[in-house]
Amino acid sequence: AMHPHLVRHPAIFPCLYGAAVALLAAFFFGSLGDHLLDTHDAETFRDNAAIDRDFAFFFSAEKEQAVGRFTGEFAKWLISLVADEDPGLFHLTNVAVHALVSFVLFFAYRSTGFNPVTSALGGLLFLVNVAHFQAVHWITQLDYLLGMLCALLALLAFDRFLAGGGRPWLASALLCALLALGAHAGLCAL
């Protein structure tokens, strides 16, 4: 049973959950700010530098990491505008997106009827699951994290549309679904 105070103030639980996600992400993944380049990361940096010189290169099949995941490729290029070639900032961006996915998972579970505690446990298990090692440690794996984030947002927006939220929610669901598909073609199942 939930604490009575949480029942009277239901917005407190997601706030506490968000704080728990942030603390656990910092504890488990905060050291990635010192992590250097890993598999295919240097190729991504070289592609970003070429896009800086000529944005048309973004659409080129000559990129070293031309995987057709436009959402992820565009996000990595945008990050490079701020982080330059600092792998630590790229890795910490992956950690932040991973934590955000865990946070959004809470709401996805809640929308399917799970209680807050079960929803939080599901999101926290996603956050600390060792199977996600590559998605958090490899800069190039931001695609998967963005795909999951956009897919969850699409599902939540579509749920709001079905609940009578109107066409803006449907448009949001479609946009998020397209961004998810642009992050990984496997999300066509969405």
Side-chain angles (χ1 to χ4, degrees), residues 4-183:
H5 187 68
L6 294 176
V7 174
R8 285 192 305 270
H9 304 286
I12 290 176
F13 194 85
C15 293
L16 292 174
Y17 175 69
V21 166
L23 289 172
L24 284 173
F27 178 75
F28 282 102
F29 305 112
S31 64
L32 286 178
D34 298 325
H35 194 57
L36 299 176
L37 298 179
D38 209 328
T39 307
H40 302 298
D41 292 344
E43 296 165 359
T44 298
F45 277 37
R46 288 190 295 269
D47 285 343
N48 288 339
I51 294 167
D52 284 344
R53 290 188 297 275
D54 178 12
F55 188 76
F57 190 71
F58 179 81
F59 303 101
S60 172
E62 300 299 316
K63 289 186 294 191
E64 291 182 69
Q65 282 293 299
V67 293
R69 298 177 182 163
F70 300 109
T71 303
E73 291 175 20
F74 188 69
K76 287 179 271 194
W77 174 72
L78 286 176
I79 295 163
S80 77
L81 297 177
V82 175
D84 195 29
E85 291 189 10
D86 181 354
L89 291 176
F90 274 88
H91 289 297
L92 292 177
T93 299
N94 278 23
V95 170
V97 174
H98 185 66
L100 184 58
V101 169
S102 175
F103 185 72
V104 173
L105 261 174
F106 169 81
F107 295 100
Y109 289 136
R110 291 288 296 135
S111 74
T112 62
F114 285 103
N115 70 49
V117 173
T118 304
S119 299
L121 286 175
L124 290 176
L125 285 173
F126 175 85
L127 179 72
V128 298
N129 188 335
V130 295
H132 303 152
F133 174 84
Q134 293 175 343
V136 181
H137 286 73
W138 295 1
I139 292 167
T140 55
Q141 300 301 303
L142 181 62
D143 305 346
Y144 296 98
L145 298 169
L146 289 174
M148 179 74 166
L149 178 63
C150 292
L152 289 171
L153 292 173
L155 291 172
L156 287 170
F158 191 68
D159 186 52
R160 291 293 296 265
F161 167 72
L162 291 177
R167 289 187 182 189
W169 286 106
L170 180 59
S172 297
L174 291 173
L175 175 62
C176 289
L178 287 173
L179 290 172
L181 188 58

